[in-house]
Amino acid sequence: MVVVGSGPGGLQLSYALRYFGVPHAVISADPAPGGMFRRWPFFQRLLSWTKPFAPFERGTRFYERYDWNSLIPDDDQHRAIQPRLMDGTSYFPSRAEMEQNIATFARETGIRVRYGCRWTGTARDGEGFRLRTSAGEYRARVVVFAFGLAEPWKPEIPGIEHVPHYADTRAPETYAGKRVFIIGKETSAFELANGFLPWARQIVLASPRPTQLSVVTNSLVGVRARYVQPYEDHILGGGVVIMNASIDEVARTGSGFRVRTTRSDGGGTLVFETEDVIATTGFQPPLGDLPELGVVSSGREKIPSQTPLFESISVPHLYFAGTATRGAPGLKKNGIPSSSGAVHGHRYNARILARHIARTYFGIDPARPTLKRDEVLGYLLSELSRAPELWHQKSYLARSLLWDSARGIIDDGIVPLQLFVDGDGPDGVAVAVEANPKAEIYPAVYVRKNNVVTEHLLPTNPLLDFETAEHRSQLTSVLAPLP
Amino acid sequence: MAATRGELGDKLSNLSLFADLSAAELESVAHIVDERRFAEGERILRQGLSGSGFYVILAGEAIIRVDGKEYGRLGRGDFFGEISALLGDPPVADIVAARELHCAIIPGPALEQFMVGHPQVMFRMLQSEARKLRTATRWRS
């Protein structure tokens, strides 16, 4: 099999495949590991935190809940690489520290990648694929694309070809004293606006949809807290203008640009004269010829639509890893998305995918550990309180136990919740951590009995302690139907 | 000049639910709703499971299933999940993709704000609910 990409997604998958003993090749167009982090974020600091000091010992599995950036090995020696590289000035690593973190993991765990090998085309080959690359052809039964969202995307607006993309942003001091019009109101738009606050004379952010803030949606949806400063400036009338408007046309003028907008609230047309325009309209995966092969995508970002096991819904045996696994949205309960768009979420998806590939294509299926019935309650409550997979991927990943007639109670590991609730199988239980828009975080328990799944939501707790007497008693009742 | 509509805006403009919206409003709606494609056989709504959303079918076909038994089919322009989202109760039926299904989605908790912000859509939805009610009560007359 072949993995395309050497960012965090491809490296984590390669590591997990090697753990199962699955032979594979990793190819990458880049000269070195690190993917997007060798260029972005533009203002050089990540949004994802790593806490050097946390309630759990560094280098343990439970510590991963507080470290969003390290890749995850199966031994303690290579855990928690990111905090080793940080200097204490911020709990957000710098771009360079993140790149170093990814490269260190690749080096210390000995992941082998063929760098400088660009994937250029894809063809079917019986049940499998032929990949054309800049270094010759690869034939593979299974292929996994971990190519990130690396292709700048701009919407079809008349004149948009004159507008630089986020990826083409100049050094901040070159915007000194200028008016800057930013198309978009997502996190990257606010990242630029925040960085331009000491430089630009005026900053306008415009897009049809009202601004969403993560601290208001109570989820990862919306602008992240670090970049809310321009929003406050706008509210207090400090020179930043935030508008809900569609962009009708961008035209070049002698000194810059003229941007024509229509307000979404029926407020009519507004025209802006500005020295600079930047399209912070996002990135798409570099799909190449995959659409011609039959890979379907959805949404403005054109992320390939996937099954809960990260396989294209339209082209069998073609899988995705890394940020592209957002194309397997899961249950998305209460509208709260997965964390698959960032390392802290998709690193766990890679483990699940590696296990699936090992089992399905290579017949490698190591026996899972078993539990005694009187251990189940304590184990599930401990996982609900501490498991990093459940805390990072709420309503998305679950700890699953299966009641097997021959072996007894099997710990089936971390599985996609959608797979458990929609799939047939032996009686069992899956537990997930879930959240709602009221910012409550609580345990959810799904019991499967005779292929009927029932949902049981347990109460939240102000200290997020799910091992209280109340939780013990409620979970005991929920588990009663299982022998 | 009219606002430029994206691909999704175009798809929505052809559905009766959104027929009364201006180009600018459609563009704004296209930025608010989520989009998703489901594989054949995939469940979209789950009987008895909380936290679902409101779905509008852009393409494809879905099966309404209660306790494993088929009760009908839905196609392009039809919507589902509204009762569950409006009442805050888990769905009483499964909705399953009969073939590849493409939907626009509004999460349950966001539906009220969306409908209040787009009264023309709310009115069209109410008309549709009224038709369903009329069909359901026809046997009485």
Side-chain angles (χ1 to χ4, degrees):
Chain A
M1 69 171 289
V2 175
V3 179
V4 179
S6 63
L11 297 174
Q12 184 68 67
L13 180 67
S14 178
Y15 179 93
L17 288 168
R18 201 177 57 185
Y19 169 81
F20 284 104
V22 171
H24 65 282
V26 184
I27 63 171
S28 170
D30 289 344
M36 296 277 274
F37 300 112
R38 288 182 307 104
R39 290 187 66 187
W40 293 303
F42 182 80
F43 280 102
Q44 302 296 307
R45 233 173 235 291
L46 270 69
L47 283 165
S48 44
W49 59 72
T50 289
K51 293 187 174 181
F53 302 97
F56 293 100
E57 198 67 34
R58 249 195 240 183
T60 61
R61 173 177 163 237
F62 292 151
Y63 170 78
E64 288 168 12
R65 178 174 152 192
Y66 304 92
D67 175 8
W68 289 30
N69 301 298
S70 297
L71 294 178
I72 45 167
D74 296 287
D75 56 49
D76 291 351
Q77 187 196 341
H78 300 112
R79 281 187 205 276
I81 289 172
Q82 186 67 81
R84 282 194 236 157
L85 304 166
M86 292 163 71
D87 59 10
T89 52
S90 170
Y91 87 149
F92 298 107
S94 70
R95 187 204 55 71
E97 287 166 346
M98 179 66 175
E99 185 194 353
Q100 207 186 344
N101 157 39
I102 302 299
T104 304
F105 182 87
R107 189 179 64 248
E108 289 192 2
T109 62
I111 293 172
R112 294 176 56 196
V113 179
R114 187 171 185 182
Y115 292 107
C117 174
R118 182 176 293 279
W119 159 66
T120 55
T122 326
R124 288 175 184 278
D125 181 24
E127 281 280 274
F129 304 93
R130 278 203 315 281
L131 296 186
R132 286 189 301 283
T133 78
S134 57
E137 198 171 77
Y138 282 83
R139 293 180 67 182
R141 173 80 176 80
V142 191
V143 59
V144 184
F145 290 95
F147 42 26
L149 270 63
E151 226 163 60
W153 177 80
K154 294 194 282 192
E156 287 180 23
I157 294 169
I160 196 79
E161 65 276 12
H162 305 303
V163 177
H165 186 268
Y166 170 92
D168 310 311
T169 308
R170 306 187 309 265
E173 58 273 20
T174 65
Y175 296 91
K178 301 244 187 347
R179 292 169 298 179
V180 184
F181 189 102
I182 297 174
I183 301 174
K185 292 209 295 286
E186 308 269 336
T187 291
S188 61
F190 276 80
E191 181 209 338
L192 293 190
N194 189 59
F196 292 156
L197 286 173
W199 299 104
R201 176 154 60 102
Q202 184 198 46
I203 302 168
V204 179
L205 294 97
S207 71
R209 184 188 182 140
T211 312
Q212 290 188 288
L213 303 176
S214 69
V215 289
V216 175
T217 67
N218 293 322
S219 73
L220 284 175
V221 172
V223 178
R224 301 290 301 281
R226 276 191 53 221
Y227 297 136
V228 172
Q229 195 55 53
Y231 191 82
E232 188 191 61
D233 180 307
H234 157 72
I235 287 168
L236 301 178
V240 175
V241 176
I242 298 178
M243 293 217 326
N244 304 329
S246 55
I247 317 298
D248 301 337
E249 189 182 14
V250 182
R252 297 265 6 190
T253 61
S255 58
F257 298 87
R258 181 175 300 120
V259 186
R260 189 200 304 269
T261 67
T262 301
R263 286 170 56 183
S264 311
D265 56 11
T269 302
L270 274 175
V271 177
F272 293 84
E273 300 288 340
T274 182
E275 282 78 39
D276 278 291
V277 183
I278 305 173
T280 56
T281 42
F283 290 84
Q284 287 185 341
L287 292 173
D289 62 357
L290 296 183
E292 288 85 88
L293 202 74
V295 171
V296 297
S297 299
S298 89
R300 269 180 307 147
E301 290 176 299
K302 289 278 175 285
I303 296 178
S305 305
Q306 295 154 50
T307 71
L309 285 165
F310 318 111
E311 186 174 15
S312 163
I313 66 167
S314 51
V315 179
H317 318 305
L318 194 151
Y319 292 85
F320 298 91
T323 50
T325 56
R326 280 170 55 203
L331 301 186
K332 222 172 169 180
K333 289 181 80 176
N334 301 313
I336 291 172
S338 73
S339 301
S340 302
V343 172
H344 63 111
H346 70 61
R347 60 190 181 183
Y348 299 112
N349 298 354
R351 269 188 179 165
I352 288 164
L353 176 56
R355 183 183 172 196
H356 169 70
I357 287 172
R359 183 193 277 173
T360 309
Y361 298 92
F362 295 88
I364 301 166
D365 195 7
R368 298 284 315 172
T370 57
L371 283 96
K372 296 190 182 72
R373 183 59 173 89
D374 61 8
E375 295 171 327
V376 168
L377 185 75
Y379 179 60
L380 291 180
L381 290 175
S382 169
E383 284 292 281
L384 283 164
S385 297
R386 301 178 187 86
E389 302 89 343
L390 308 190
W391 281 87
H392 284 301
Q393 288 281 40
K394 295 186 182 80
S395 314
Y396 190 77
L397 297 183
R399 167 68 63 178
S400 152
L401 305 182
L402 301 176
W403 268 244
D404 182 82
S405 52
R407 294 190 60 219
I409 302 170
I410 297 172
D411 179 355
D412 194 39
I414 300 291
V415 301
L417 179 59
Q418 187 182 347
L419 218 54
F420 183 90
V421 300
D422 288 348
D424 288 348
D427 291 355
V429 58
V431 296
V433 174
E434 300 196 347
N436 63 25
K438 290 186 282 189
E440 290 167 334
I441 299 175
Y442 46 88
V445 185
Y446 299 84
V447 173
R448 184 165 66 203
K449 182 91 183 159
N450 303 325
N451 278 327
V452 174
V453 175
T454 50
E455 170 197 275
H456 310 268
L457 305 181
L458 303 189
T460 184
N461 170 280
L463 298 176
L464 301 175
D465 172 9
F466 302 149
E467 292 177 306
T468 65
E470 183 185 21
H471 290 97
R472 292 184 72 82
S473 133
Q474 287 203 18
L475 186 56
T476 302
S477 311
V478 166
L479 295 174
L482 295 165
Chain B
M1 190 189 130
T4 41
R5 276 211 315 251
E7 217 174 312
L8 179 59
D10 281 341
K11 287 199 179 93
L12 295 174
S13 70
N14 294 321
L15 305 181
S16 61
L17 196 60
F18 303 100
D20 308 315
L21 299 186
S22 71
E25 286 169 322
L26 267 170
E27 179 65 1
S28 151
V29 168
H31 277 75
I32 290 171
V33 303
D34 210 352
E35 247 187 292
R36 184 162 170 184
R37 283 180 202 273
F38 297 89
E40 182 185 330
E42 193 171 356
R43 272 209 296 179
I44 297 109
L45 279 197
R46 295 166 180 84
Q47 193 178 338
L49 262 59
S50 66
S52 59
F54 171 70
Y55 294 77
V56 183
I57 299 180
L58 299 170
E61 189 184 29
I63 298 165
I64 306 167
R65 205 172 62 185
V66 181
D67 297 329
K69 185 165 165 263
E70 181 174 334
Y71 273 79
R73 298 215 167 199
L74 301 167
R76 184 174 159 275
D78 290 336
F79 55 83
F80 57 88
E82 77 284 5
I83 295 172
S84 169
L86 291 168
L87 303 179
D89 294 335
V92 295
D94 275 341
I95 303 286
V96 182
R99 54 176 194 268
E100 194 182 295
L101 189 72
H102 189 190
C103 291
I105 309 167
I106 298 167
L111 187 62
E112 181 184 348
Q113 196 190 352
F114 178 85
M115 287 296 166
V116 170
H118 300 86
Q120 311 96 316
V121 179
M122 183 155 62
F123 184 74
R124 291 266 185 172
M125 184 166 126
L126 208 51
Q127 280 185 314
S128 185
E129 298 300 314
R131 279 187 214 105
K132 286 183 200 172
L133 199 58
R134 187 180 57 190
T135 308
T137 53
R138 233 174 223 157
W139 62 271
R140 290 170 180 267
S141 51

